[in-house]
Amino acid sequence: MTIRVLLADDQQMVRTGFRYMLDAEDDIEVVGEAGDGVEAVRLARELRPDVVLMDIRMPGIDGLSATRRLAGPGVVDPLKVVVVTTFDMDEYVHAALTGGAVGFLLKDAGPALLIEAVRAAARGDALVSPRITVRLLRHFAEAGAPAPAPDTGGLTPRELDIVRSVAQGRTNTEVASELYVTVSTVKTHLARVQEKLGARNRVEVAAWAYRNGLMA
């Protein structure tokens, strides 16, 4: 299946570079480009791409606001948005992920990680630039607060194993390899975890793990 991608960035050179890298892949097709946040929302709703690559600082409305409109809490049939930015700032990461983004990538991460982020989002995984994964997830915990006593949230031991792996930034494939189970089994467990916790995606699952003392 071809993964349909919408590019949203106010810099034409960035969009051209991303298009060049993504269109070179047999399973990815860039179906549209937007130069500002308003256009990004309009095109995303019109084209319904599999993945939106969203810059943060854009004219009109910024990428964080656009992400909330396309994937935030309360959005019916949310799109899969990966925020791609030059700004390695905790507040941006936090706002993007709580706003519904399924990934957060720095523009200097390189072509291989950009392509993997698109594929991960399309298959329901979340990918975050490795150098900020643990830091950004800890940002969800209360700053300076003592670690709470672990709260299992009614999860089974196997589900807790998967939650911890997800909170360390691992993909479904990596979790499966680590726990010696199939990817299908990981997806099944993760779906149950999300239902039990009321989490919309794996990033919210990871945030829950940090908030509840499971990663101490």
Side-chain angles (χ1 to χ4, degrees):
M1 182 184 73
T2 301
I3 302 169
R4 301 169 65 253
V5 178
L6 172 67
L7 304 177
D9 195 295
D10 63 338
Q11 297 185 49
Q12 176 67 52
M13 288 184 63
V14 171
R15 299 199 307 272
T16 299
F18 283 178
R19 177 183 281 274
Y20 178 80
M21 289 185 282
L22 296 173
D23 278 345
E25 301 299 310
D26 293 337
D27 60 336
I28 301 175
E29 176 188 5
V30 175
V31 296
E33 296 183 22
D36 63 67
V38 174
E39 186 181 17
V41 171
R42 181 185 65 79
L43 282 178
R45 289 172 174 168
E46 176 184 321
L47 299 173
R48 299 296 301 178
D50 299 304
V51 179
V52 179
L53 293 183
M54 185 79 73
D55 189 22
I56 289 182
R57 294 189 177 179
M58 292 187 292
I61 61 174
D62 63 29
L64 298 176
S65 296
T67 296
R68 285 194 297 272
R69 296 186 187 189
L70 297 174
V75 174
V76 177
D77 195 16
L79 290 169
K80 294 171 180 176
V81 179
V82 176
V83 170
V84 187
T85 181
T86 56
F87 302 101
D88 182 6
M89 299 170 63
D90 283 348
E91 56 266 37
Y92 282 163
V93 177
H94 182 265
L97 298 180
T98 56
V102 298
F104 191 98
L105 202 64
L106 299 177
K107 287 182 180 177
D108 63 1
L113 203 59
L114 178 71
I115 292 165
E116 179 53 29
V118 168
R119 290 176 176 149
R123 64 175 179 257
D125 283 348
L127 191 150
V128 179
S129 289
R131 77 177 191 233
I132 60 174
T133 298
V134 173
R135 192 191 81 225
L136 75 88
L137 290 171
R138 285 176 177 163
H139 186 84
F140 284 89
E142 291 183 294
D151 177 5
T152 63
L155 304 183
T156 67
R158 176 55 84 189
E159 288 169 346
L160 288 171
D161 287 340
I162 288 174
V163 166
R164 291 187 182 97
S165 292
V166 167
Q168 291 169 339
R170 294 184 174 89
T171 65
N172 286 351
T173 301
E174 291 169 336
V175 174
S177 176
E178 182 180 76
L179 300 179
Y180 302 102
V181 297
T182 65
V183 172
S184 177
T185 297
V186 172
K187 289 181 178 179
T188 298
H189 281 305
L190 196 51
R192 289 175 183 158
V193 166
Q194 289 179 206
E195 183 178 359
K196 288 181 179 180
L197 301 181
R200 300 175 76 239
N201 53 52
R202 65 195 295 116
V203 177
E204 290 184 5
V205 169
W208 175 87
Y210 277 95
R211 281 199 306 268
N212 288 277
L214 296 182
M215 306 306 294

